[in-house]
Amino acid sequence: MTITAAVDEGVRGRRVLLAGGTSAAGRACARALSDAGAEVLVVGTDRDRLAAVSTEVPGVAVECCDLTDADAVEALRDRVHSMYGRVDGILHLVGGWRGGGGLAGQSDDDFAFLLRSLTALRHVSRAFDDDIRTSDAGRLAIVSSRAVVRPLAGGANYAAVKAASEAWVRAVAQGYARHAREAGREPAAAAVVFRVKSLDGLEDALAASFVALWDDDAAAWNDVMIDIAAPV
């Protein structure tokens, strides 16, 4: 499935957390969400970059947190609930790239660096699981890579972590569906994987695609892979 533009503003009034949201993609998503009427919370580790986001996108809230630290993430959740309330959406943008050198070049140090993204995803999705599951329009999404479909030796570490992240999100999706089924109601939460070859130049397309997740029922999006590509 390919999607590049938002249609309505179903996200209006929703509280959305951007995990690792100080990147160019995070700032684009913060702008799009704010323009669509959402309440945006950007979480990062660099206070200067967080301050820059506040200046660039007026009205967003920012929080400093090491998302690879489980205790810190639980404290973040409690702080968010106390200061802002429960969240309806999460976009996981913690990432990075290291690779090259064929299989022999896939070092343990590089793998540990890349693994931070999966660790952060696990912590954040667990800490805010009840928020998303019980929201009447909960959405969780990650940005993955087409490398999962065709992994190369020089990017084996990267592809392995991305594949694991996709598996985690698909498990989250099953949990959302099961929760709705056991509660005897229609699904209201969806977990989605966006895939890109590279995010460079596609930041606005990602933002529009994420905003558009609120323009359809959760069942249309849960456990769906969405390919984001540059216009032909």
Side-chain angles (χ1 to χ4, degrees):
M1 180 179 294
T2 300
I3 181 168
T4 58
V7 178
D8 300 313
E9 293 183 349
V11 75
R12 181 174 298 278
R14 300 295 175 184
R15 184 172 296 110
V16 182
L17 185 152
L18 303 179
T22 61
S23 63
R27 296 193 302 272
C29 290
R31 285 193 300 271
L33 287 162
S34 293
D35 288 347
E39 182 179 337
V40 183
L41 174 62
V42 176
V43 180
T45 57
D46 188 311
R47 295 186 183 279
D48 290 339
R49 289 169 64 89
L50 287 168
V53 172
S54 295
T55 300
E56 184 175 330
V57 191
V60 303
V62 296
E63 287 286 337
C64 189
C65 180
D66 178 2
L67 298 177
T68 67
D69 182 329
D71 290 339
V73 174
E74 290 186 2
L76 170 70
R77 176 201 58 208
D78 294 344
R79 194 161 64 247
V80 168
H81 286 173
S82 175
M83 297 176 63
Y84 311 105
R86 296 166 70 86
V87 304
D88 301 291
I90 296 171
L91 177 59
H92 179 75
L93 293 166
V94 180
W97 159 260
R98 286 189 183 179
L103 201 62
Q106 303 303 290
S107 72
D108 288 350
D109 286 345
D110 286 349
F111 184 77
F113 169 82
L114 294 166
L115 192 60
R116 298 180 312 160
S117 175
L118 174 59
T119 300
L121 170 63
R122 291 172 51 247
H123 291 166
V124 172
S125 59
R126 284 202 313 255
F128 290 94
D129 182 56
D130 191 64
D131 287 36
I132 304 299
R133 283 191 298 105
T134 60
S135 170
D136 61 358
R139 302 290 186 270
L140 178 143
I142 66 166
V143 179
S144 187
S145 170
R146 294 182 194 169
V148 172
V149 180
R150 189 174 185 276
L152 304 177
N157 280 337
Y158 179 77
V161 170
K162 288 296 187 183
S165 297
E166 289 193 5
W168 183 271
V169 170
R170 296 196 67 189
V172 170
Q174 188 275 336
Y176 290 166
R178 179 177 178 178
H179 174 78
R181 185 170 60 252
E182 292 179 347
R185 62 178 176 82
E186 291 298 313
V192 176
V193 173
F194 293 115
R195 278 185 183 157
V196 298
K197 181 177 181 180
S198 169
L199 258 181
D200 290 343
L202 293 179
E203 294 88 352
D204 290 337
L206 170 66
S209 297
F210 182 61
V211 169
L213 294 181
W214 276 270
D215 296 335
D216 290 295
D217 292 338
W221 298 120
N222 198 36
D223 199 13
V224 170
M225 305 282 179
I226 300 173
D227 187 73
I228 300 177
V232 177

